[in-house]
């Protein structure tokens, strides 16, 4: 589950991470009031207006701007709220901005120059360990840094049996070229950041930039946070932060129906039981010369109601030109799945206007094929993988 910047910062602050302070506003007038409140609390004279969407690169799309007075706060907030913000991480049509974060200016003059760093905490799946990735090149896309100056990216792997050690936090501060008070501040920052990551059961915390201020404070100016959905039952307060307006409506509907669905860009809809088989089915579609329109795992059961729900969700995608159902009958018998497909097809009437290819393998697979072939419905059946690929190709040729 992705969070907005202000939500991620609230988690960080609760674990003692210094953050760029700010308040959320839903309209231009509210933005002015929040700016006044922020000035009274922090003394900031300028304000940064930040669009709150689940995507990075907001500044490049015009979603982050500096306001030097209250009139500019109102003007900029009015421009950003309601705009369709396009960044490298949004769909081509962009994402509609519903709220902004009015934040304090932290780039004030002082005894030393400000510096920006990159830092993230995430899981290294290859080694089964959390790791801290960091760089002196903050404020830039980490992909560009990795491509052009990979020697400026450092990693620190965390042994799960002992957690983050003090010498590791100090090594990070040293590699970032810090000394004195800034060094000590960075050590505290790293320790608190890792505790926030572990304590919130996150799968990623990305801070870009981490700022060394002119008076040698270390703070998170941004926060891109992804929580582990599987651990949300332990964090009712964090689960309430979910913003479904930032998610695709079709994926929200699928989740509410208990289906694992991911929207893709192809033309062949997929209905499969099991994530591994779903990935293999997507490979099968590409092997046939086409692209999958979705990832949809119906889980261990596939009765008529569940299949019908999956059909309706898949068919909401106007790009779908055919649907491939690929079920392995282990826990559930193939003949029951076949009957569910037939019943769902009958219930939906003329709503299904694309070819349906069903490949069932496992318990009672042959009986299932007979059920489909004798149903009188225009459903194509297959038993082998290659046969299913050929059916898809024939249906779309």
């Amino acid at each position: 589950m992705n969070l907005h910047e202000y939500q991620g910062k609230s988690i960080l602050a609760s674990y003692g991470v210094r953050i760029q302070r700010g308040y959320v506003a839903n309209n231009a007038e509210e933005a002015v009031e929040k700016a006044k409140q922020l000035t009274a609390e922090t003394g900031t004279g300028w304000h940064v207006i930040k669009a709150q969407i689940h995507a990075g690169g907001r500044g490049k799309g015009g979603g982050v701007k500096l306001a030097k007075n209250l009139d500019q706060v109102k003007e900029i907030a009015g421009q950003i709220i309601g705009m369709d913000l396009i960044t490298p991480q949004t769909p081509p049509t962009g994402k509609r901005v519903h709220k902004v974060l009015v934040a304090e200016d932290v780039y004030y003059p002082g005894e030393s120059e400000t510096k920006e760093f990159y830092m993230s905490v995430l899981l290294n799946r290859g080694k089964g360990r959390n790791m801290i990735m960091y760089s002196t090149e903050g404020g830039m896309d980490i992909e560009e840094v990795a491509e052009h100056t990979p020697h400026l990216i450092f990693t620190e792997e965390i042994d799960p049996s002992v957690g983050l050690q003090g010498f590791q936090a100090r090594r990070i501060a040293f590699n970032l070229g810090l000394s004195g008070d800034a060094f000590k501040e960075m050590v505290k920052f790293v320790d608190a950041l890792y505790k926030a990551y572990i304590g919130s059961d996150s799968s990623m915390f990305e801070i870009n930039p981490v700022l060394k201020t002119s008076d040698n404070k270390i703070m998170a100016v941004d926060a891109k946070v992804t929580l582990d959905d599987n651990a949300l039952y332990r964090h009712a307060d964090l689960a309430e932060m979910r913003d479904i307006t930032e998610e695709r409506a079709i994926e929200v509907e699928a989740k509410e129906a208990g289906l694992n669905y991911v929207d893709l860009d192809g033309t062949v809809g997929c209905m499969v039981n099991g994530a591994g088989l779903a990935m293999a089915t997507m490979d099968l579609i590409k092997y046939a010369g086409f692209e999958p329109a979705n990832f949809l795992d119906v889980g261990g059961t596939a009765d008529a109601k569940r299949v019908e729900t999956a059909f309706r969700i898949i068919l909401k995608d106007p790009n779908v030109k055919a649907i491939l159902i690929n079920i392995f009958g282990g826990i559930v018998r193939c003949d029951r799945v076949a009957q569910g497909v037939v019943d769902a097809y009958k219930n939906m009437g003329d709503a299904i206007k694309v070819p349906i290819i069903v490949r069932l393998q496992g318990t009672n697979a042959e009986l299932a094929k007979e059920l489909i072939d004798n149903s009188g419905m225009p459903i194509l059946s297959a038993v082998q993988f290659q046969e299913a690929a050929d059916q898809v190709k024939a249906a779309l040729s």
Side-chain angles (χ1 to χ4, degrees):
M1 185 180 85
N2 294 322
L3 298 182
H4 287 295
E5 174 190 351
Y6 74 93
Q7 294 170 324
K9 282 181 173 177
S10 70
I11 296 175
L12 289 172
S14 70
Y15 283 88
V17 178
R18 190 192 302 275
I19 63 168
Q20 177 195 36
R21 292 163 294 182
Y23 291 104
V24 177
N26 298 297
N27 54 61
E29 290 73 21
E30 188 178 357
V32 172
E33 293 305 313
K34 297 300 183 183
K36 291 178 181 177
Q37 181 180 351
L38 195 60
T39 297
E41 294 175 356
T42 68
T44 185
W46 294 355
H47 302 84
V48 185
I49 314 302
K50 300 182 174 184
Q52 296 300 284
I53 60 170
H54 289 172
R58 294 168 296 166
K60 294 180 179 179
V64 178
K65 293 184 178 181
L66 178 65
K68 297 182 179 181
N69 54 57
L70 293 180
D71 288 338
Q72 289 186 0
V73 168
K74 185 175 182 179
E75 179 184 356
I76 293 171
Q79 291 171 352
I80 293 178
I81 296 174
M83 74 180 293
D84 292 319
L85 182 57
I86 299 174
T87 82
Q89 297 182 19
T90 65
T93 55
K95 278 192 170 185
R96 180 65 54 87
V97 180
H98 299 287
K99 62 189 76 173
V100 294
L101 176 63
V102 181
E104 64 177 325
D105 172 34
V106 291
Y107 289 81
Y108 44 81
E111 62 192 56
S112 64
E113 292 185 8
T114 59
K115 290 185 179 179
E116 293 182 334
F117 307 109
Y118 171 91
M119 190 172 295
S120 62
V121 188
L122 64 161
L123 174 63
N124 183 336
R125 297 184 182 276
K127 295 188 177 181
R129 292 184 171 193
N130 292 323
M131 72 175 185
I132 299 176
M133 181 185 298
Y134 60 104
S135 174
T136 56
E137 305 304 294
M140 296 177 59
D141 292 335
I142 195 64
E143 294 82 6
E144 292 184 13
V145 179
E147 181 178 355
H148 301 295
T149 54
H151 62 284
L152 296 179
I153 296 180
F154 303 89
T155 58
E156 194 70 43
E157 292 186 355
I158 315 301
D159 186 334
S161 64
V162 296
L164 177 69
Q165 298 295 290
F167 76 88
Q168 293 179 298
R170 291 191 292 273
R171 181 159 57 198
I172 291 172
F174 178 80
N175 286 338
L176 291 175
L178 298 173
S179 60
D181 290 339
F183 183 97
K184 297 175 183 177
E185 281 270 325
M186 180 59 77
V187 171
K188 294 178 183 177
F189 181 92
V190 172
D191 181 66
L193 173 62
Y194 190 73
K195 287 177 179 175
Y197 171 82
I198 294 295
S200 60
D201 282 313
S202 295
S203 56
M204 184 190 73
F205 257 99
E206 183 181 68
I207 316 298
N208 190 23
V210 175
L211 178 70
K212 183 198 81 65
T213 65
S214 60
D215 52 357
N216 293 314
K217 295 185 176 79
I218 302 295
M219 68 171 61
V221 175
D222 193 10
K224 186 176 182 181
V225 177
T226 302
L227 302 178
D228 184 351
D229 290 3
N230 296 314
L232 284 177
Y233 71 94
R234 292 199 292 245
H235 305 280
D237 56 332
L238 301 183
E240 292 179 357
M241 292 183 177
R242 183 184 180 196
D243 185 353
I244 61 174
T245 64
E246 286 292 311
E247 302 175 24
R248 294 192 179 190
I250 191 171
E251 293 183 358
V252 173
E253 181 182 350
K255 190 169 185 177
E256 290 176 350
L259 301 172
N260 295 312
Y261 178 93
V262 178
D263 202 15
L264 300 174
D265 298 326
T267 58
V268 181
C270 305
M271 188 189 308
V272 189
N273 66 333
L277 185 59
M279 299 299 290
T281 302
M282 293 164 70
D283 287 342
L284 177 71
I285 291 169
K286 292 180 73 71
Y287 178 76
F290 302 96
E291 294 291 331
N294 64 269
F295 170 105
L296 192 152
D297 177 7
V298 296
T301 58
D303 55 24
K305 183 178 180 181
R306 198 169 180 81
V307 170
E308 182 176 340
T309 300
F311 269 144
R312 293 189 185 279
I313 289 173
I314 292 173
L315 291 171
K316 286 188 176 183
D317 183 350
N319 295 322
V320 170
K321 306 302 179 186
I323 298 176
L324 172 59
I325 301 174
N326 193 3
I327 302 291
F328 175 74
I331 297 175
V332 59
R333 292 188 345 224
C334 290
D335 57 317
R336 289 187 176 178
V337 177
Q339 191 62 55
V341 171
V342 172
D343 292 344
Y345 200 106
K346 290 178 179 177
N347 292 338
M348 295 185 69
D350 296 330
I352 301 178
K353 301 182 184 298
V354 299
I356 306 293
I357 300 96
V358 181
R359 185 254 180 181
L360 298 168
Q361 187 60 270
T363 306
N364 291 352
E366 296 298 331
L367 179 58
K369 190 176 189 311
E370 290 179 16
L371 266 170
I372 290 173
D373 291 342
N374 298 326
S375 67
M377 300 288 105
I379 306 173
L380 303 174
S381 64
V383 176
Q384 301 301 323
F385 245 43
Q386 183 60 54
E387 186 182 0
D390 292 342
Q391 294 275 28
V392 170
K393 194 168 186 178
L396 294 177
S397 298

